[in-house]
Amino acid sequence: MTAATTSIAGNRRALVHRRRKVTNTIALGLCSVAAFAAAGVLLLILSYIVARGASAISWGFFVHLPRPAGESGGGVKNAIVGSLIVVGLASAIAIPAGVAVGIFVSEYAGSTIASVVRFTADVLTGVPSIVVGIFIYGLVVVRMGHFSAFAGGCALAVIMVPIVARASEEMLKLVPQSQREAALALGITRWRTIISVVLPAARRGLTTGALLAVARASGETAPLLFTILGNQFMTTSLDKPIDALPLRIYQYASGPYPDQQAQAWAAAFVLVLVVFIINLLARLVLARPGGKSS
């Protein structure tokens, strides 16, 4: 009787083991299919953009201004410069603000306040960018009375701040508590400990978060429609309408002229290449030895 009971229990264990193994194999297979499908869609998009855009790239594309509608030639020099200005302004606003929020949540805030700030940052991350554009339009553009690069920078900064804040918080949490305690034991004040010990230890992670935020903001179009308007001419003034690559792509792609549509594909290729390089830099920074906390 004991031998029979043992045999039945052994058979049940073997059956459960086989069932778990089959379930694991099926789940792993489905995950693999989903991963390859996502990668396949990405490669399809990239290959299509490269095929359509690389052929339209030329030196004049980078150094010439746009031509009037219907005329061939021209370039997007003003849009490239405008994107650098708007994204640079947004980075100057968002990166210090986001790091400051991350420091507050990680080092000073209590659990309740930290939870509220995290929830707010997560909500802001999910807010559609066009809503951010309308918000800045009412807050900045209407009050100023005209579109401007400053308004575009503010709109992109609103998008970037929660990304930088959440990344900064997570990176600062990876710094060992022993480093803070050692600094405090030497009589260093708390704020000085954060500046001289915690931030340098997390610098690579903070850099990665900033780069990812810049990559996200570089491709935004909807907020720029309501804030910078666009400009056919070269300008570097923060107080005037300015052009940007995403906005130029939208305008050219929706137009009826084949030459402008070809330039839209070329501009899309350049923009994707820039975003790819920024993301690659972020991965390389984080992958370096000690990149997570030193």
Side-chain angles (χ1 to χ4, degrees):
M1 190 68 178
T2 303
T5 303
T6 304
S7 178
I8 293 173
N11 291 335
R12 287 180 178 176
R13 285 195 297 270
L15 181 62
V16 170
H17 176 72
R18 284 195 298 269
R19 187 183 300 127
R20 290 178 177 175
K21 190 174 182 179
V22 170
T23 303
N24 180 71
T25 302
I26 293 174
L28 181 60
L30 292 176
C31 291
S32 301
V33 169
F36 282 112
V41 172
L42 176 62
L43 290 176
L44 181 63
I45 294 174
L46 292 178
S47 60
Y48 191 75
I49 292 175
V50 171
R52 295 292 299 270
S55 59
I57 294 291
S58 65
W59 178 248
F61 177 80
F62 295 99
V63 299
H64 292 157
L65 296 177
R67 293 284 180 84
E71 294 187 11
S72 60
V76 293
K77 176 183 177 181
N78 61 327
I80 295 174
V81 173
S83 287
L84 292 175
I85 291 174
V86 174
V87 175
L89 177 61
S91 301
I93 298 172
I95 293 177
V99 172
V101 172
I103 292 173
F104 173 75
V105 175
S106 175
E107 306 294 328
Y108 289 101
S111 58
T112 302
I113 298 178
S115 298
V116 172
V117 174
R118 290 190 198 99
F119 177 76
T120 303
D122 292 338
V123 171
L124 284 176
T125 304
V127 170
S129 58
I130 193 170
V131 176
V132 175
I134 295 173
F135 169 72
I136 297 298
Y137 173 82
L139 185 66
V140 179
V141 176
V142 172
R143 293 177 181 272
M144 292 180 64
H146 56 83
F147 299 92
S148 65
F150 174 74
C154 290
L156 296 184
V158 172
I159 296 174
M160 293 174 63
V161 164
I163 301 174
V164 177
R166 292 293 281 129
S168 299
E169 179 193 358
E170 296 302 324
M171 292 301 108
L172 292 173
K173 285 182 177 179
L174 294 178
V175 178
Q177 187 64 27
S178 58
Q179 294 188 17
R180 297 176 176 85
E181 294 172 351
L184 294 173
L186 294 174
I188 302 176
T189 58
R190 190 173 183 183
W191 70 269
R192 188 67 183 177
T193 298
I194 294 172
I195 294 176
S196 301
V197 178
V198 179
L199 290 181
R203 63 185 181 277
R204 292 177 183 168
L206 298 177
T207 302
T208 300
L211 289 174
L212 294 177
V214 170
R216 163 73 188 279
S218 299
E220 290 292 343
T221 305
L224 305 183
L225 291 172
F226 295 93
T227 53
I228 69 172
L229 183 63
N231 194 335
Q232 290 286 114
F233 305 100
M234 173 65 70
T235 179
T236 57
S237 174
L238 300 181
D239 195 43
K240 296 180 180 178
I242 199 171
D243 208 5
L245 270 179
L247 190 59
R248 180 59 49 184
I249 293 170
Y250 170 78
Q251 293 172 345
Y252 276 180
S254 58
Y257 303 103
D259 188 68
Q260 289 186 350
Q261 293 175 357
Q263 289 198 10
W265 282 109
F269 171 70
V270 172
L271 187 59
V272 169
L273 185 62
V274 169
V275 173
F276 174 78
I277 291 174
I278 293 175
N279 279 276
L280 182 61
L281 286 175
R283 296 297 187 273
L284 291 176
V285 170
L286 194 61
R288 290 174 60 187
K292 291 185 179 181
S293 60
S294 64

